[in-house]
Amino acid sequence: MTEAPAPRAPRLEDAVDAAIVREISLDARATLSHLSDRVGLSVSAVQSRLRRLEARGIVKGYRPILDAEALGRPLAAFVEITPLDPAQPDNAPELLAHLSAIEACHSIAGEAAYMLFVRVPTPRDLESLIRDIRAAAQVNTRTTVVLQTFFEARPVEPADFPA
C-alpha cells in the first residue's frame, strides 16, 4: 500500500501575484489603487487577484504591527521546550495554546522539540510563565532573554518570482 502524497501548499501563479504579495507585505494597508499603480493592472484586476490569493490561502490575513513595550510587554524571550518523558504524546502546542503570553510556537530540529516566543511585562512574569509552561506540558525549558531586537516581522519576499 502506498501513502498518498502530502497536499502541496498553494503557490503563486505568476510574477504579478508575486508583485502584489510583495507590495502588501510592505504595507498591508495599501489601497487597491496603490497596488494597481505598483503592479500595472486595473484596480478591478488587482482586487480579483487579491481575492484569489486570499481564497487560496496565500494571503491569510492582515494584522497591525504593535509596539509590545507600549502595550506593557517589553520583555521578550525564546523558550525551548523538551518533553520530560520522550514517550509522552507530542501535544505541547495544544497544551500551551491557552497561555496568551506565548506569541509563537515552532516545531524545531535539534535537542528541543519546540521553540516558543514569549512576551511578558517583567522578569517575575517570565518566571511565572515558565512555571506554567512546565506544569501544563510536562516539559523541561531553556530560556534565552531578548536584550534588543534590531528587526522582526520583515516582509516575506516570494521565492519563485524575484523582483
Side-chain angles (χ1 to χ4, degrees), residues 108-132:
I108 60 172
E111 289 184 33
Y114 295 94
M115 175 75 73
L116 311 176
F117 179 71
V118 305
R119 288 190 197 269
V120 293
T122 67
R124 183 163 291 165
D125 293 308
L126 179 59
E127 183 178 27
S128 177
L129 177 62
I130 291 168
R131 194 171 30 255
D132 292 346

Side-chain angles (χ1 to χ4, degrees), residues 2 16-17 32 65 80 82 101 120-121 125 132 147 156-157:
T2 60
V16 175
D17 278 357
L32 291 172
I65 298 171
E80 294 180 5
T82 307
V120 293
D125 293 308
D132 292 346
L147 298 177
V156 176
E157 187 73 23

Side-chain angles (χ1 to χ4, degrees), residues 2-159:
T2 60
E3 228 177 271
R8 279 188 50 165
R11 307 282 295 180
L12 298 173
E13 290 181 7
D14 57 22
V16 175
D17 278 357
I20 291 170
V21 168
R22 188 177 299 111
E23 290 300 319
I24 62 171
S25 73
L26 293 170
D27 180 6
R29 295 183 68 187
T31 64
L32 291 172
S33 177
H34 172 80
L35 294 173
S36 169
D37 291 342
R38 298 293 294 165
V39 303
L41 294 177
S42 70
V43 169
S44 62
V46 168
Q47 183 177 36
S48 174
R49 280 180 174 255
L50 193 52
R51 283 185 180 148
R52 270 199 325 262
L53 290 166
E54 292 167 350
R56 292 175 45 224
I58 292 171
V59 176
K60 295 183 177 209
Y62 304 86
R63 294 192 316 217
I65 298 171
L66 303 173
D67 182 334
E69 191 167 339
L71 297 174
R73 294 182 180 266
L75 179 57
F78 292 96
V79 181
E80 294 180 5
I81 62 171
T82 307
L84 291 175
D85 176 3
Q88 74 188 56
D90 186 12
N91 60 350
E94 294 85 10
L95 297 172
L96 299 173
H98 70 283
L99 298 172
S100 63
I102 302 174
E103 284 190 18
C105 176
H106 305 279
S107 175
I108 60 172
E111 289 184 33
Y114 295 94
M115 175 75 73
L116 311 176
F117 179 71
V118 305
R119 288 190 197 269
V120 293
T122 67
R124 183 163 291 165
D125 293 308
L126 179 59
E127 183 178 27
S128 177
L129 177 62
I130 291 168
R131 194 171 30 255
D132 292 346
I133 290 168
R134 288 175 179 163
Q138 296 299 300
V139 293
N140 286 318
T141 61
R142 180 175 170 213
T143 303
T144 303
V145 172
V146 175
L147 298 177
Q148 185 174 355
T149 300
F150 294 98
F151 51 84
E152 67 180 349
R154 296 174 91 175
V156 176
E157 187 73 23

